Amino acid sequence: MQDNLEFLQWTKRFWDQYYPGGEYDAVARRKAAGGPAPAAPVPMPTSSSRTSGAGAARRGMTPTTAPARSVASVRTGGSATTALTQELSALKDTVTGLERERDFYFSKLRDIELLLQQACEADPDLEKDEDGLIKQVQAILYSTEEGFEIPAEDGAVDDQETF
Protein backbone atom coordinates (compact mmCIF):
# COMPACT_ATOMS: atom_id res chain seq x y z
CA MET A 1 0.00 0.00 0.00
CA GLN A 2 2.86 2.33 0.86
CA ASP A 3 4.45 1.65 -2.54
CA ASN A 4 1.24 2.72 -4.31
CA LEU A 5 1.10 5.95 -2.34
CA GLU A 6 4.73 6.73 -3.09
CA PHE A 7 4.18 6.02 -6.78
CA LEU A 8 1.16 8.33 -6.92
CA GLN A 9 3.10 11.06 -5.14
CA TRP A 10 5.97 10.67 -7.58
CA THR A 11 3.58 10.74 -10.55
CA LYS A 12 1.93 13.95 -9.30
CA ARG A 13 5.30 15.62 -8.73
CA PHE A 14 6.47 14.56 -12.22
CA TRP A 15 3.25 15.93 -13.76
CA ASP A 16 3.55 19.21 -11.86
CA GLN A 17 7.19 19.58 -12.86
CA TYR A 18 6.96 18.77 -16.58
CA TYR A 19 3.42 19.76 -17.61
CA PRO A 20 3.77 23.13 -19.32
CA GLY A 21 0.12 24.10 -18.87
CA GLY A 22 -2.15 25.50 -21.54
CA GLU A 23 -3.83 23.60 -24.32
CA TYR A 24 -2.24 20.61 -25.99
CA ASP A 25 -1.21 21.20 -29.62
CA ALA A 26 -0.58 17.80 -31.19
CA VAL A 27 0.55 19.19 -34.56
CA ALA A 28 3.22 21.37 -32.97
CA ARG A 29 4.38 18.47 -30.79
CA ARG A 30 4.71 16.23 -33.86
CA LYS A 31 6.69 18.86 -35.73
CA ALA A 32 9.01 19.32 -32.76
CA ALA A 33 9.55 15.55 -32.48
CA GLY A 34 10.08 15.08 -36.21
CA GLY A 35 6.97 12.93 -36.62
CA PRO A 36 4.71 12.91 -39.67
CA ALA A 37 2.48 15.93 -40.08
CA PRO A 38 -1.23 15.36 -40.71
CA ALA A 39 -2.51 15.64 -44.30
CA ALA A 40 -4.92 18.47 -43.52
CA PRO A 41 -4.78 20.94 -40.65
CA VAL A 42 -7.08 19.92 -37.83
CA PRO A 43 -9.08 22.75 -36.23
CA MET A 44 -8.36 23.16 -32.54
CA PRO A 45 -11.39 23.28 -30.23
CA THR A 46 -12.12 26.64 -28.74
CA SER A 47 -11.98 27.28 -25.05
CA SER A 48 -15.77 27.79 -24.98
CA SER A 49 -16.35 24.21 -26.12
CA ARG A 50 -14.39 22.90 -23.13
CA THR A 51 -15.79 22.64 -19.68
CA SER A 52 -15.23 25.81 -17.82
CA GLY A 53 -13.30 26.17 -14.60
CA ALA A 54 -9.74 25.87 -13.42
CA GLY A 55 -10.05 22.12 -12.91
CA ALA A 56 -10.50 21.44 -16.64
CA ALA A 57 -7.56 23.64 -17.60
CA ARG A 58 -5.45 21.99 -14.91
CA ARG A 59 -6.22 18.50 -16.14
CA GLY A 60 -5.03 19.40 -19.64
CA MET A 61 -7.78 17.81 -21.69
CA THR A 62 -6.60 16.83 -25.14
CA PRO A 63 -8.69 17.30 -28.28
CA THR A 64 -10.04 14.12 -29.81
CA THR A 65 -10.49 15.43 -33.35
CA ALA A 66 -7.08 14.19 -34.56
CA PRO A 67 -7.29 11.00 -36.63
CA ALA A 68 -6.08 7.89 -34.84
CA ARG A 69 -3.32 5.90 -36.48
CA SER A 70 -4.46 2.59 -37.85
CA VAL A 71 -3.12 -0.66 -36.50
CA ALA A 72 -1.65 -1.53 -39.90
CA SER A 73 0.45 1.64 -39.99
CA VAL A 74 1.80 0.93 -36.51
CA ARG A 75 2.69 -2.67 -37.34
CA THR A 76 4.67 -1.84 -40.48
CA GLY A 77 7.97 -1.01 -38.90
CA GLY A 78 10.28 -2.13 -41.65
CA SER A 79 12.94 -4.77 -41.97
CA ALA A 80 14.40 -4.09 -38.53
CA THR A 81 11.11 -4.95 -36.87
CA THR A 82 10.75 -8.07 -38.99
CA ALA A 83 14.26 -9.20 -38.09
CA LEU A 84 13.66 -8.57 -34.40
CA THR A 85 10.36 -10.45 -34.53
CA GLN A 86 12.05 -13.43 -36.16
CA GLU A 87 14.85 -13.34 -33.58
CA LEU A 88 12.28 -13.17 -30.78
CA SER A 89 10.39 -16.19 -32.11
CA ALA A 90 13.67 -18.12 -32.46
CA LEU A 91 14.61 -17.27 -28.87
CA LYS A 92 11.16 -18.33 -27.65
CA ASP A 93 11.57 -21.67 -29.43
CA THR A 94 15.00 -22.09 -27.83
CA VAL A 95 13.63 -21.35 -24.37
CA THR A 96 10.79 -23.82 -24.90
CA GLY A 97 13.26 -26.52 -25.94
CA LEU A 98 15.54 -25.82 -22.98
CA GLU A 99 12.63 -25.93 -20.54
CA ARG A 100 11.47 -29.25 -21.99
CA GLU A 101 15.02 -30.66 -21.68
CA ARG A 102 15.32 -29.36 -18.10
CA ASP A 103 12.04 -30.99 -17.12
CA PHE A 104 13.11 -34.27 -18.75
CA TYR A 105 16.36 -34.48 -16.80
CA PHE A 106 14.71 -33.33 -13.59
CA SER A 107 12.17 -36.15 -13.85
CA LYS A 108 15.00 -38.66 -14.42
CA LEU A 109 16.85 -37.41 -11.33
CA ARG A 110 13.64 -37.49 -9.31
CA ASP A 111 13.02 -41.11 -10.37
CA ILE A 112 16.55 -42.07 -9.27
CA GLU A 113 16.01 -40.30 -5.94
CA LEU A 114 12.76 -42.19 -5.35
CA LEU A 115 14.41 -45.54 -6.20
CA LEU A 116 17.19 -44.81 -3.70
CA GLN A 117 14.68 -43.86 -1.00
CA GLN A 118 12.68 -47.05 -1.61
CA ALA A 119 15.83 -49.15 -1.44
CA CYS A 120 16.85 -47.49 1.85
CA GLU A 121 13.36 -48.05 3.29
CA ALA A 122 13.42 -51.72 2.26
CA ASP A 123 16.91 -52.35 3.66
CA PRO A 124 18.07 -49.75 6.26
CA ASP A 125 21.54 -51.37 6.37
CA LEU A 126 22.27 -49.94 2.87
CA GLU A 127 22.19 -46.40 4.23
CA LYS A 128 24.61 -47.22 7.07
CA ASP A 129 27.42 -48.24 4.72
CA GLU A 130 29.49 -45.03 4.23
CA ASP A 131 31.37 -46.28 1.14
CA GLY A 132 28.36 -47.92 -0.48
CA LEU A 133 26.91 -47.16 -3.88
CA ILE A 134 23.75 -45.60 -2.44
CA LYS A 135 25.73 -43.08 -0.36
CA GLN A 136 27.85 -42.13 -3.37
CA VAL A 137 24.80 -41.63 -5.61
CA GLN A 138 23.06 -39.58 -2.90
CA ALA A 139 26.19 -37.44 -2.54
CA ILE A 140 26.05 -36.70 -6.26
CA LEU A 141 22.30 -36.01 -6.21
CA TYR A 142 22.43 -33.65 -3.26
CA SER A 143 25.69 -31.85 -4.03
CA THR A 144 25.50 -28.11 -4.65
CA GLU A 145 27.72 -25.60 -6.37
CA GLU A 146 29.91 -23.35 -4.30
CA GLY A 147 28.02 -20.24 -3.22
CA PHE A 148 24.60 -21.87 -3.64
CA GLU A 149 22.32 -21.62 -0.63
CA ILE A 150 19.31 -23.83 -0.15
CA PRO A 151 16.31 -21.60 0.66
CA ALA A 152 14.83 -21.94 4.12
CA GLU A 153 11.50 -23.76 4.28
CA ASP A 154 10.30 -22.18 7.53
CA GLY A 155 7.63 -20.24 5.63
CA ALA A 156 8.81 -16.82 6.80
CA VAL A 157 7.47 -14.25 4.39
CA ASP A 158 9.10 -10.88 3.94
CA ASP A 159 6.79 -8.04 4.98
CA GLN A 160 7.92 -5.81 2.12
CA GLU A 161 6.01 -6.10 -1.11
CA THR A 162 8.15 -6.42 -4.20
CA PHE A 163 6.99 -5.72 -7.71
Short mmCIF file of all heavy atoms in Angstrom, two decimals, residues 10-20 58:
data_model
loop_
_atom_site.label_atom_id
_atom_site.label_comp_id
_atom_site.label_asym_id
_atom_site.label_seq_id
_atom_site.Cartn_x
_atom_site.Cartn_y
_atom_site.Cartn_z
N TRP A 10 4.94 10.42 -6.59
CA TRP A 10 5.97 10.67 -7.58
C TRP A 10 5.34 11.10 -8.91
O TRP A 10 5.82 12.02 -9.57
CB TRP A 10 6.81 9.41 -7.79
CG TRP A 10 7.85 9.59 -8.85
CD1 TRP A 10 9.09 10.10 -8.70
CD2 TRP A 10 7.71 9.29 -10.25
NE1 TRP A 10 9.74 10.13 -9.91
CE2 TRP A 10 8.91 9.64 -10.88
CE3 TRP A 10 6.68 8.76 -11.02
CZ2 TRP A 10 9.12 9.47 -12.23
CZ3 TRP A 10 6.89 8.60 -12.37
CH2 TRP A 10 8.10 8.96 -12.97
N THR A 11 4.25 10.40 -9.30
CA THR A 11 3.58 10.74 -10.55
C THR A 11 3.05 12.16 -10.52
O THR A 11 3.19 12.90 -11.49
CB THR A 11 2.43 9.76 -10.83
OG1 THR A 11 2.93 8.44 -10.79
CG2 THR A 11 1.78 10.02 -12.16
N LYS A 12 2.45 12.58 -9.42
CA LYS A 12 1.93 13.95 -9.30
C LYS A 12 3.06 14.96 -9.39
O LYS A 12 2.96 15.98 -10.07
CB LYS A 12 1.16 14.14 -8.01
CG LYS A 12 0.60 15.56 -7.93
CD LYS A 12 -0.17 15.80 -6.69
CE LYS A 12 -0.78 17.16 -6.58
NZ LYS A 12 -0.16 18.27 -7.21
N ARG A 13 4.17 14.69 -8.70
CA ARG A 13 5.30 15.62 -8.73
C ARG A 13 5.87 15.72 -10.15
O ARG A 13 6.20 16.80 -10.63
CB ARG A 13 6.40 15.17 -7.78
CG ARG A 13 7.55 16.15 -7.73
CD ARG A 13 8.57 15.73 -6.69
NE ARG A 13 9.63 16.69 -6.59
CZ ARG A 13 10.69 16.74 -7.40
NH1 ARG A 13 10.80 15.88 -8.38
NH2 ARG A 13 11.63 17.64 -7.24
N PHE A 14 5.98 14.57 -10.84
CA PHE A 14 6.47 14.56 -12.22
C PHE A 14 5.55 15.38 -13.11
O PHE A 14 6.00 16.16 -13.93
CB PHE A 14 6.56 13.12 -12.72
CG PHE A 14 7.15 12.99 -14.10
CD1 PHE A 14 8.52 12.95 -14.27
CD2 PHE A 14 6.33 12.92 -15.23
CE1 PHE A 14 9.07 12.84 -15.54
CE2 PHE A 14 6.86 12.81 -16.49
CZ PHE A 14 8.24 12.77 -16.65
N TRP A 15 4.23 15.19 -12.97
CA TRP A 15 3.25 15.93 -13.76
C TRP A 15 3.37 17.43 -13.49
O TRP A 15 3.40 18.24 -14.41
CB TRP A 15 1.85 15.43 -13.43
CG TRP A 15 0.77 16.21 -14.11
CD1 TRP A 15 0.04 17.24 -13.60
CD2 TRP A 15 0.30 16.04 -15.45
NE1 TRP A 15 -0.85 17.70 -14.53
CE2 TRP A 15 -0.71 16.98 -15.67
CE3 TRP A 15 0.64 15.16 -16.47
CZ2 TRP A 15 -1.38 17.08 -16.87
CZ3 TRP A 15 -0.04 15.27 -17.67
CH2 TRP A 15 -1.03 16.22 -17.87
N ASP A 16 3.45 17.79 -12.21
CA ASP A 16 3.55 19.21 -11.86
C ASP A 16 4.83 19.82 -12.39
O ASP A 16 4.85 20.99 -12.79
CB ASP A 16 3.49 19.40 -10.33
CG ASP A 16 2.11 19.09 -9.78
OD1 ASP A 16 1.13 19.08 -10.55
OD2 ASP A 16 2.02 18.85 -8.55
N GLN A 17 5.90 19.04 -12.43
CA GLN A 17 7.19 19.58 -12.86
C GLN A 17 7.28 19.74 -14.37
O GLN A 17 7.81 20.72 -14.86
CB GLN A 17 8.31 18.67 -12.37
CG GLN A 17 9.69 19.17 -12.69
CD GLN A 17 10.77 18.26 -12.11
OE1 GLN A 17 10.47 17.27 -11.47
NE2 GLN A 17 12.01 18.62 -12.34
N TYR A 18 6.75 18.77 -15.14
CA TYR A 18 6.96 18.77 -16.58
C TYR A 18 5.75 19.17 -17.42
O TYR A 18 5.88 19.33 -18.62
CB TYR A 18 7.43 17.39 -17.04
CG TYR A 18 8.81 17.09 -16.53
CD1 TYR A 18 9.02 16.17 -15.52
CD2 TYR A 18 9.92 17.75 -17.04
CE1 TYR A 18 10.28 15.91 -15.04
CE2 TYR A 18 11.18 17.50 -16.57
CZ TYR A 18 11.37 16.57 -15.57
OH TYR A 18 12.61 16.32 -15.09
N TYR A 19 4.57 19.34 -16.82
CA TYR A 19 3.42 19.76 -17.61
C TYR A 19 3.50 21.25 -17.82
O TYR A 19 3.50 22.03 -16.87
CB TYR A 19 2.12 19.38 -16.90
CG TYR A 19 0.89 19.84 -17.65
CD1 TYR A 19 0.60 19.33 -18.90
CD2 TYR A 19 0.04 20.79 -17.12
CE1 TYR A 19 -0.51 19.74 -19.60
CE2 TYR A 19 -1.08 21.21 -17.80
CZ TYR A 19 -1.35 20.68 -19.04
OH TYR A 19 -2.44 21.10 -19.73
N PRO A 20 3.58 21.71 -19.08
CA PRO A 20 3.77 23.13 -19.32
C PRO A 20 2.51 23.97 -19.11
O PRO A 20 2.59 25.19 -19.05
CB PRO A 20 4.21 23.18 -20.79
CG PRO A 20 3.58 21.98 -21.41
CD PRO A 20 3.56 20.94 -20.33
N ARG A 58 -6.52 22.63 -15.67
CA ARG A 58 -5.45 21.99 -14.91
C ARG A 58 -5.25 20.55 -15.37
O ARG A 58 -4.14 20.05 -15.43
CB ARG A 58 -5.79 22.03 -13.41
CG ARG A 58 -4.76 21.40 -12.53
CD ARG A 58 -3.58 22.31 -12.41
NE ARG A 58 -2.65 21.72 -11.48
CZ ARG A 58 -1.39 21.51 -11.76
NH1 ARG A 58 -0.90 21.87 -12.91
NH2 ARG A 58 -0.59 20.98 -10.87
#
